Amino acid sequence: MQLNGLSSPLSDQQLSLLQQALAGMTPLQLSWVSGYLSALSHAGSPQIAGQAPAAAAEADGARLTILFGSQTGNAHGVAKQLKEKADSAGIPADVISMGDYKPNKLKNEKLLAIVASTHGEGEPPDDAEELHGFLVGKKAPKLAGARYSVLGLGDSSYEFFCQTGKDFDERLSKLGAESFVPRVDCDVDYDDAVASWIEQVVAEAKALTSVVAAPAANAAVAAPVASQYNKKNPFSANLLTNQKITGRDSIKDIRHIEIDLEGSDLQYQPGDALGVWFENDEALVDELLALVKADGNAEVDGKPLRQALIEDYELTLSYPGFIKAVAEASGDKVLTELTADAGKLRDYIADRQIIDIVRDYPIELTTEQLVGALRKMAPRLYSIASSQAEVDEEVHLTVGVVRYDAHGSEHLGGASGFLSERLEEGGDVKVFIEHNNNFRLPESPETPIIMVGPGTGVAPFRAFMQQREADGIEGNSWMFFGNPHFTQDFLYQVEWQGYLKSGVLERLDVAWSRDQAEKVYVQDRILEQGAALYQWLDKGAHFYVCGDANHMAKDVHQALQTVIQQHGGKSEEEAQQYLTDLRKAKRYQRDVY
């Protein structure tokens, strides 16, 4: 039905807004809206169905505050899941990034849910640093009367598993808050644990706030999702291009990957990541089955064991839990002794894949024992190296192939080996978009940006440049890139030189660590250009870092602090505060791994 402005009491602008709101609604949704508007005309200001419980709860001051600290977006995703469940139960809830949360508001919280990831050596994600530091500092308030629950995300392969979540739990408890659902520490295959935690949190929060759940019928008016594809329902995309972009003599094997998203309706922004569900090497799976003497045709989760091992279980990353489970199942004394020494255990698994452990200890296992010892596969996240303003329904990646010799055989990474060696062009790969709101171009396109992305860390900055070119932005952009050799490892060299020539890129500083006797890295170039770099920061530039978290990102951070001290005339403490202020203003963002 076409609304006619001549016969309507609405203005043209109101008519336009109404048409936009009604477009695409189902008959059921239109019927609900009709009833709501009718009630509005008679009662003046009726409650929307399902809001009364929330209003009652708000009157009592009982809101569930969901805080997330996320490096790659996983914690944010869990926080949104909890918010959706709380909404459907009629529980008033807010989802807030720890980076946007004012720590002094903690003293007013009555009901708190924390979702926090851990990266590096037990460190909080960038957006959680301030709140984490506040809780351990002298200004942290007493929190008697507050209730909380913590969910930590981590990887048990690392020594400080879920350390950030543990820190929040410990500090909140010491400050007098009471846990209403015990902390849950999630490994990389966290879906089931997250679902259980969310169910418990919602049930307890409902009881604590005396909130009556919203009628199930109102679920029909939920906002539609832009794309049906996500982590749990990935899109089967087509591999268009697999091109090696390092030279024949390079010590690195880096691939430029192009994937077709046509038909998916998947949308992404520069700074987002692509989640890749890969398949394990069939030869590796067959060897594993032979070594443990398991029947590949035995049924697991509704499919043959061999197929399940190819598609669903982690085989290329080792973790202490596998050895402990195998030691318990087999009773092997050597393995049991190894599990008793955490340091020796981590040293042992450092460069070993699951197949190496089974080669060392070829113990017969039942199907149940093998599957019970393994953990579910986790998708790999790759920083997206393209902008849809440039490539439309494609997505590009810059993939460093994990390849090394150890224990008498060559090893390949799970996802990188799949994308580079086993998946042929034209083949299908299951993907989804992982949004990363902690790594975004400035809201104002003209704002200066400084990008530090050595090696595969160059990926998101290629997307940044494509976006700025599409937006017609010239200058105010500065790139620091580094790799071993100029002739072998200058990734996307022609593109960077093109951006310089067109003026989209204003400055480019490169560091070739092996082209001279003394090694030179991006942090050295930052120190060399310190005076100019500080001037850029002083006029409002945003500073971005992408790449290795354990070494590069820390060295760049220290170099940046030194620049601020030397060229800003600041003390060490003042420089640290300057960096903290940059982070709070979202002018210092990192995508590190």
Side-chain angles (χ1 to χ4, degrees):
M1 176 181 177
Q2 181 65 39
L3 292 171
N4 188 338
L6 293 176
S7 61
S8 167
L10 302 180
S11 67
D12 289 343
Q13 182 180 9
Q14 288 173 322
L15 280 173
S16 176
L17 291 171
L18 181 59
Q19 287 175 317
Q20 291 178 37
L22 298 177
M25 283 193 179
T26 66
L28 177 61
Q29 291 170 330
L30 288 170
S31 176
W32 185 92
V33 170
S34 175
Y36 167 67
L37 293 176
S38 176
L40 185 63
S41 68
H42 288 88
S45 182
Q47 288 178 323
I48 296 177
Q51 280 192 342
E58 287 187 65
D60 294 333
R63 294 187 68 84
L64 175 63
T65 299
I66 306 167
L67 297 179
F68 67 88
S70 185
Q71 195 69 37
T72 62
N74 286 338
H76 187 193
V78 171
K80 288 194 294 185
Q81 290 180 49
L82 175 55
K83 162 72 169 164
E84 290 170 2
K85 292 292 186 181
D87 286 346
S88 67
I91 301 169
D94 300 310
V95 175
I96 309 170
S97 165
M98 292 182 187
D100 297 329
Y101 185 77
K102 296 186 183 300
N104 58 14
K105 293 181 70 175
L106 268 178
K107 62 180 180 292
N108 301 321
E109 300 292 355
K110 298 301 180 185
L111 203 56
L112 192 63
I114 299 278
V115 185
S117 64
T118 297
H119 75 102
E121 298 174 1
E123 299 162 2
D126 289 350
D127 59 355
E129 279 196 355
E130 184 183 10
L131 182 60
H132 185 273
F134 177 80
L135 281 172
V136 300
K138 296 179 180 179
K139 294 183 179 180
K142 297 297 182 183
L143 298 176
R147 304 288 189 92
Y148 75 92
S149 183
V150 174
L151 182 129
L153 297 177
D155 184 337
S156 61
S157 302
Y158 292 90
E159 181 177 357
F160 299 99
F161 174 56
C162 288
Q163 188 61 49
T164 302
K166 294 173 183 176
D167 291 345
F168 277 117
D169 187 21
E170 178 185 0
R171 288 305 302 164
L172 290 169
S173 177
K174 284 187 176 180
L175 292 169
E178 181 182 347
S179 173
F180 68 92
V181 171
R183 187 190 77 242
V184 174
D185 298 331
C186 295
D187 212 337
V188 291
D189 51 338
Y190 57 74
D191 288 345
D192 291 343
V194 163
S196 175
W197 178 76
I198 288 176
E199 185 177 343
Q200 292 181 67
V201 168
V202 169
E204 291 299 322
K206 181 178 172 183
L208 289 169
T209 57
S210 301
V211 174
V212 179
N218 292 327
V221 299
V225 179
S227 173
Q228 62 178 305
Y229 299 106
N230 50 44
K231 181 179 178 180
K232 293 182 179 180
N233 180 37
F235 177 66
S236 186
N238 189 258
L239 177 67
L240 298 173
T241 301
N242 169 12
Q243 177 186 1
K244 186 178 180 183
I245 55 175
T246 43
R248 180 184 303 174
D249 299 322
S250 174
I251 60 174
K252 297 183 177 184
D253 182 355
I254 297 177
R255 306 295 179 95
H256 173 71
I257 301 291
E258 297 182 0
I259 293 171
D260 188 2
L261 299 178
E262 184 177 359
S264 69
D265 291 324
L266 287 170
Q267 302 291 317
Y268 60 86
Q269 298 181 53
D272 286 340
L274 186 76
V276 175
W277 289 101
F278 60 96
E279 293 183 0
N280 287 310
D281 187 349
E282 293 185 16
L284 203 67
V285 169
D286 289 338
E287 183 183 357
L288 175 63
L289 288 169
L291 287 169
V292 301
K293 296 182 174 58
D295 180 6
N297 293 315
E299 187 172 306
V300 174
D301 299 329
K303 63 177 70 172
L305 172 60
R306 182 177 184 273
Q307 183 183 351
L309 292 176
I310 292 171
E311 299 175 350
D312 303 330
Y313 288 90
E314 188 66 72
L315 299 183
T316 52
L317 293 179
S318 298
Y319 43 94
F322 178 77
I323 294 182
K324 291 176 181 177
V326 172
E328 183 177 334
S330 66
D332 186 272
K333 292 183 179 180
V334 177
L335 274 178
T336 302
E337 290 177 3
L338 184 60
T339 62
D341 189 321
K344 286 183 179 179
L345 180 56
R346 293 190 182 279
D347 289 342
Y348 174 74
I349 66 173
D351 62 351
R352 283 178 168 85
Q353 297 181 343
I354 295 297
I355 194 66
D356 295 308
I357 299 169
V358 179
R359 285 168 181 163
D360 289 347
Y361 301 94
I363 300 165
E364 187 171 344
L365 297 172
T366 65
T367 298
E368 291 74 17
Q369 288 172 332
L370 175 60
V371 170
L374 295 170
R375 69 183 183 189
K376 287 292 186 74
M377 180 186 291
R380 303 297 191 261
L381 297 178
Y382 291 98
S383 301
I384 293 175
S386 57
S387 164
Q388 285 190 298
E390 170 80 15
V391 303
D392 198 17
E393 291 188 297
E394 293 181 9
V395 61
H396 298 177
L397 307 177
T398 309
V399 177
V401 181
V402 177
R403 187 194 311 272
Y404 62 96
D405 291 321
H407 315 292
S409 63
E410 182 184 68
H411 295 66
L412 275 173
S416 65
F418 175 68
L419 290 171
S420 64
E421 302 293 336
R422 298 193 296 279
L423 182 64
E424 296 182 357
E425 290 184 358
D428 289 338
V429 54
K430 295 177 180 178
V431 300
F432 60 94
I433 300 298
E434 188 74 31
H435 297 290
N436 184 4
N437 292 325
N438 295 320
F439 205 77
R440 287 281 184 255
L441 280 165
E443 289 186 12
S444 172
E446 298 287 352
T447 302
I449 60 173
I450 302 169
M451 304 164 284
V452 183
T456 56
V458 73
F461 304 129
R462 181 176 184 263
F464 279 19
M465 287 295 96
Q466 288 185 356
Q467 185 65 52
R468 284 172 76 93
E469 183 176 52
D471 291 340
I473 306 301
E474 291 189 6
N476 282 336
S477 55
W478 187 351
M479 178 69 186
F480 288 87
F481 176 74
N483 240 351
H485 298 284
F486 167 72
T487 57
Q488 302 292 321
D489 306 305
F490 197 165
L491 308 183
Y492 305 112
Q493 177 184 355
V494 174
E495 293 184 24
W496 289 113
Q497 291 173 335
Y499 289 132
L500 276 173
K501 185 177 181 180
S502 68
V504 175
L505 182 66
E506 185 171 331
R507 297 188 60 161
L508 175 65
D509 281 271
V510 293
W512 310 113
S513 60
R514 305 296 195 276
D515 276 352
Q516 61 284 312
E518 183 178 351
K519 293 180 180 178
V520 179
Y521 298 103
V522 286
Q523 59 265 27
D524 300 313
R525 297 294 186 226
I526 287 172
L527 292 171
E528 289 173 8
Q529 302 296 333
L533 194 150
Y534 185 76
Q535 288 179 1
W536 277 54
L537 291 176
D538 204 36
K539 67 178 183 179
H542 287 217
F543 191 89
Y544 299 88
V545 183
C546 182
D548 169 56
N550 292 327
H551 301 289
M552 182 277 296
K554 293 179 179 178
D555 292 337
V556 166
H557 181 87
Q558 185 57 54
L560 184 59
Q561 180 177 314
T562 300
V563 165
I564 293 166
Q565 287 179 241
Q566 292 181 349
H567 301 281
K570 301 183 187 299
S571 66
E572 180 178 349
E573 186 175 287
E574 289 171 335
Q576 290 174 348
Q577 184 59 49
Y578 185 96
L579 286 173
T580 297
D581 292 341
L582 284 183
R583 277 183 169 152
K584 290 174 65 175
K586 298 189 183 300
R587 289 179 52 204
Y588 179 16
Q589 299 183 33
R590 305 195 306 171
D591 177 8
V592 295
Y593 39 83

